[in-house]
C-alpha cells in the first residue's frame, strides 16, 4: 500500500514539473540596438549654429553631457557648456568686449579663479562662469534665463 502512494506521488510530481516547464509564451532574447557612433563634432557645430544672440569663442567644443538648451536663434534658454583652449583671461576679455556688440549691458563681473560675468538685455539675462580645466583648457558655462 505504501509503495502505491509513493509511486503516485512521484508520478504527480513529475507531471507537475513537466507542466510548469511548458509555457505558452515564446521566449526570445532581448533586442539590443547596435552601438551607433555619432559624430560629436557635427552635433556640437549644429548646436552652436542654432544660438545666434551671443558670441561664442572660436574653436569652442560643447560639453554635451552638461548642456541643456531649449529653443534656438534668439529665443534659446538653458545652459550651454563649452571647453576652449584659451586661458581664463582671454575668455573673460572676449565676453566683456563681445557681449556689448550683441546689445547686452554688463550688470556684474568678478575676476578670480572662477570668473563670472552677468549681462542683460530687454529679453534675457546671461550668466557666464569661466573656470580652469586640466591641460590649459578653460571651462565656460553660459546660462540664459528670461527677464521679466
Amino acid at each position: 500500500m505504501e509503495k502505491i502512494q509513493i509511486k503516485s506521488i512521484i508520478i504527480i510530481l513529475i507531471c507537475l514539473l513537466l507542466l510548469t516547464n511548458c509555457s505558452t509564451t515564446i521566449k526570445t532574447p532581448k533586442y539590443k540596438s547596435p552601438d551607433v557612433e555619432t559624430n560629436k563634432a557635427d552635433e556640437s557645430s549644429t548646436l552652436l549654429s542654432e544660438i545666434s544672440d551671443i558670441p561664442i569663442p572660436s574653436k569652442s567644443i560643447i560639453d554635451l553631457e552638461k548642456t541643456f538648451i531649449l529653443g534656438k536663434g534668439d529665443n534659446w534658454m538653458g545652459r550651454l557648456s563649452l571647453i576652449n583652449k584659451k586661458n581664463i583671461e582671454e575668455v573673460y576679455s572676449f565676453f566683456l568686449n563681445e557681449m556689448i556688440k550683441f546689445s547686452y549691458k554688463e550688470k556684474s563681473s568678478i575676476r578670480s579663479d572662477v570668473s563670472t560675468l552677468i549681462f542683460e538685455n530687454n529679453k534675457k539675462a546671461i550668466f557666464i562662469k569661466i573656470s580652469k580645466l586640466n591641460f590649459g583648457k578653460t571651462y565656460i558655462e553660459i546660462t540664459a534665463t528670461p527677464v521679466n
Side-chain angles (χ1 to χ4, degrees):
M1 178 84 105
E2 204 171 299
K3 287 185 181 183
I4 295 175
Q5 285 181 345
I6 293 177
K7 251 187 200 179
S8 59
I9 291 176
I10 291 175
I11 291 174
I12 291 173
L13 285 175
I14 291 173
C15 288
L16 283 175
L17 268 171
L18 290 174
L19 288 175
T20 56
N21 282 337
C22 295
S23 173
T24 58
T25 60
I26 299 172
K27 295 180 182 180
T28 57
K30 284 189 175 181
Y31 175 76
K32 287 186 179 182
S33 62
D35 291 333
V36 178
E37 289 186 25
T38 59
N39 189 344
K40 293 192 181 210
D42 288 344
E43 204 171 335
S44 180
S45 64
T46 302
L47 270 174
L48 286 178
S49 68
E50 291 180 356
I51 298 172
S52 61
D53 66 337
I54 62 167
I56 306 290
S58 62
K59 297 183 182 177
S60 292
I61 299 169
I62 294 182
D63 184 350
L64 293 171
E65 291 178 5
K66 296 179 182 173
T67 295
F68 180 75
I69 295 175
L70 296 172
K72 59 183 173 180
D74 292 350
N75 297 318
W76 74 278
M77 299 291 156
R79 180 179 59 228
L80 175 62
S81 300
L82 304 170
I83 298 171
N84 196 290
K85 290 184 179 180
K86 295 178 182 174
N87 64 37
I88 291 176
E89 292 299 318
E90 289 175 302
V91 173
Y92 185 91
S93 296
F94 170 83
F95 282 111
L96 207 53
N97 297 326
E98 296 295 319
M99 288 296 282
I100 295 166
K101 296 175 185 175
F102 284 78
S103 302
Y104 285 93
K105 293 179 183 172
E106 180 185 344
K107 292 295 182 181
S108 175
S109 61
I110 299 171
R111 224 178 248 237
S112 105
D113 290 341
V114 178
S115 297
T116 58
L117 294 158
I118 299 174
F119 296 94
E120 190 176 290
N121 67 8
N122 58 356
K123 289 171 54 175
K124 67 174 82 168
I126 303 288
F127 177 80
I128 302 171
K129 182 174 118 180
I130 306 165
S131 56
K132 188 175 183 178
L133 282 176
N134 295 335
F135 307 111
K137 293 182 181 177
T138 302
Y139 181 74
I140 308 160
E141 186 175 287
I142 303 169
T143 305
T145 59
V147 173
N148 294 333

